[in-house]
Amino acid sequence: QVQLVESGGGSVQPGGSLRLSCAVSRSIFSIYAMGWYRQAPGKQRELLGTITSGGLTNYVDSVKGRFTISRDNAKSSVYLQMNSLKPEDTAVYYCNRIPNLLVWGQGTQVTVSS
């Protein structure tokens, strides 16, 4: 069974940076696209961006230019570098395979506050 484990969240001030990691438990990771998502309190989970198996990325407008997704197929991991963080980026962040696995990881909390 594939498992997703997100880490790297924390509390930062506006304008700060964080790097999130997502470890995927199965070696089939390398053939799938991956996505980063977030869910803020009272809101639906939203897709932030994707990365193909070959490393091509795409982002939603709200994070474009601030967030960068990368992956290391040898480590079965995907990363989210977040710069210029804003209070509205506060949320629980998740990764998932594309197409999505039914079972999501626990996520990692990101809080942006002064």
Side-chain angles (χ1 to χ4, degrees), residues 24-41:
V24 185
S25 64
R26 287 279 298 274
S27 60
I28 59 173
F29 166 84
S30 64
I31 67 174
Y32 286 102
M34 294 290 295
W36 277 99
Y37 303 76
R38 70 184 177 192
Q39 187 167 20

Side-chain angles (χ1 to χ4, degrees), residues 5-61:
V5 181
E6 300 90 349
S7 62
S11 296
V12 296
Q13 293 186 340
S17 298
L18 281 174
R19 185 177 187 246
L20 307 184
S21 299
C22 170
V24 185
S25 64
R26 287 279 298 274
S27 60
I28 59 173
F29 166 84
S30 64
I31 67 174
Y32 286 102
M34 294 290 295
W36 277 99
Y37 303 76
R38 70 184 177 192
Q39 187 167 20
K43 295 187 177 181
Q44 289 189 333
R45 188 174 293 164
E46 62 171 334
L47 174 65
L48 302 177
T50 60
I51 185 166
T52 67
S53 58
L56 296 177
T57 55
N58 193 29
Y59 305 93
V60 298
D61 286 345

